[in-house]
Amino acid sequence: MSAALPRPAIDAVLALLRPDLQAFAGYSSARSAALNGEVWLNANELAWANPADAAGTSRRYPEPQPSGLRAALADLYEVAPEQVLVGRGSDEAIDLLVRAFCRPGIDAVLATPPVFGMYAVSARLQGAPLLEVPLIETEAGLMVDIDAVIRSARDNAARLVFLCSPSNPAGSEIALADVVRTAQALQGQAVVVVDEAYIEFSSQASAATLLTGHDNVAVLRTLSKAHALAAARVGTLLAAAPLIAALRRCQAPYPVPTPCAELALAALQPAALAQTRARVAEVCQQRSALAQSLAALPGVRRVYPSAGNYLLVRFDDAQAAFEALLAAGVVVRDQRAAPQLYDALRISIGSADDNQRVLAALSARSAAA
């Protein structure tokens, strides 16, 4: 479990917050105060349950940060509960970070395209300058150019640097040593945010292990992918406790609905976690088999190595491949509008039957061509 950072380090990272938010108290909801009672008349809730809610469990506002879920997530990610912010998927955490750290027109957000589009969307909505350092094509795959990231961030007033590892859609990883190097180079200037939405499908250790010694590192995690709870919208930001407290003051009062929190907590019990680990292992096995089979098909230019639950694939004719899959009832992600990916599709790893359907559709297209 991560230890507390020294006070000077905490002061340094909090100084990166927007000046007008550094003393911001936020909204104090009816559930913010730790009060005890038997008759609750402080939140303007109805005294009777909705007819659709026989148990009456939904008439009360939820905990702003569900304590049981927060503790379970802290245990899962091996950090302290006060280092955990729970929200509506990773998307909310990204938006909170951009709004809290970036002054419109002044403080920049850096991303590494082709990559998850919400970094750019959040920057645009905040009016923050967007810096893009493209991934570079290598024998190992589409990789982050860490030296270029550091140079661009230093030269262009970056306040947030988003490093996606495993990268979506490229599937490539960023070594923890490179995360450390980036954080050290940008100490006192920027927060380095490592998006680990797909880390469960990787053999690499989490950047959460870096929180103790690096005050300007934050980590995004989610239950949407490996834990199969995409509809529950439960994501987590891991960071130094004072930074989490500051972001909590900027967050909406009740970010996690009670049914979603209860579902997530149930999914984090030992038996459910054991099943999740088994399914992750199966996905990794299927990923390897599908990659090998795709690479052998005519018309496939390249299958990129992947540490996620998907494969990025280049085709001689991506449009024909996309249409052939769709005709077979298989929907994949068309990546051709993304930088550098004019001929690429991203294929999520499904069940063995799903993956065979992909191969059959593409094989039939090749035979007909």
Side-chain angles (χ1 to χ4, degrees), residues 2 4 40 42 54 91 95 100 106 113 144 162 192 201 229 235 278 297 307:
S2 298
W40 290 83
N42 66 333
D91 297 341
D95 182 63
I106 299 173
V144 172
F162 286 97
V192 178
F201 303 102
L229 292 180
L297 290 178

Side-chain angles (χ1 to χ4, degrees), residues 7 66 85 92 111 125 136 140 232 252 275 286 315 324 356 359 363-364:
R7 185 74 243 174
L85 180 76
E92 184 184 23
L125 289 172
I136 54 176
Q275 288 190 40
Q286 289 290 332
F315 293 88
Q356 281 304 125
L359 293 170
S363 296

